[in-house]
Amino acid sequence: MSRLHFGILSTGIVALLLATSACQHDPVGVDQQPTVCYQTDVKPIIQNNCAKSGCHAGGEIDLRSDAGILRHVTPGKPFESSLYNAITSTWINPMPPSPNPPLTQEQRTIIQLWILQGADTNCGS
């Protein structure tokens, strides 16, 4: 998905996700949203913000590999995914920690939508 294409749709996606975030089931319409591609949309966010030296590039939580990332994701359930909970928490060890800037709303939405869409690492193929 091109960045421009996603940017245009992100406002609608954010509104959809915020309106349904209190629900314990997948929000209606997720399957009608553009497919988020793990390789080009999700993985770069994690590599550039999380899987860095001094953060999660080794140790107990190692986010350098696809398998390492997927250990912290429950497909279809962002609120049961420790990865999503870590990047959206505002009170217990928010990630990424200071002095790094937090992920943008668009980055968090990309990851949430990817998880809701089943956390596919093959871009729907």
Side-chain angles (χ1 to χ4, degrees):
M1 166 186 332
S2 74
R3 188 138 181 90
L4 176 61
H5 181 71
F6 191 83
I8 292 169
L9 295 174
S10 66
T11 302
I13 294 169
V14 169
L16 171 71
L17 294 174
L18 290 176
T20 59
S21 64
C23 298
Q24 293 299 315
H25 61 285
D26 292 346
V28 176
V30 167
D31 58 338
Q32 298 170 356
Q33 300 300 321
T35 300
V36 175
C37 179
Y38 172 76
Q39 295 296 330
T40 60
D41 298 324
V42 175
K43 192 173 183 176
I45 294 170
I46 295 170
Q47 287 178 332
N48 294 326
N49 295 283
C50 311
K52 302 188 308 185
S53 179
C55 292
H56 299 294
E60 185 177 326
I61 300 174
D62 188 347
L63 301 178
R64 292 177 294 180
S65 70
D66 297 346
I69 292 167
L70 290 173
R71 275 189 208 100
H72 303 283
V73 172
T74 302
K77 300 178 181 182
F79 300 103
E80 293 179 22
S81 300
S82 60
L83 174 72
Y84 183 74
N85 289 325
I87 64 170
T88 58
S89 173
T90 58
W91 58 283
I92 298 178
N93 299 324
M95 295 289 143
S98 293
N100 301 304
L103 297 184
T104 66
Q105 180 63 50
E106 180 180 3
Q107 291 170 320
R108 292 189 305 268
T109 299
I110 289 168
I111 292 170
Q112 182 182 29
L113 187 54
W114 170 70
I115 294 170
L116 285 168
Q117 292 174 344
D120 185 3
T121 58
N122 296 314
C123 298
S125 55

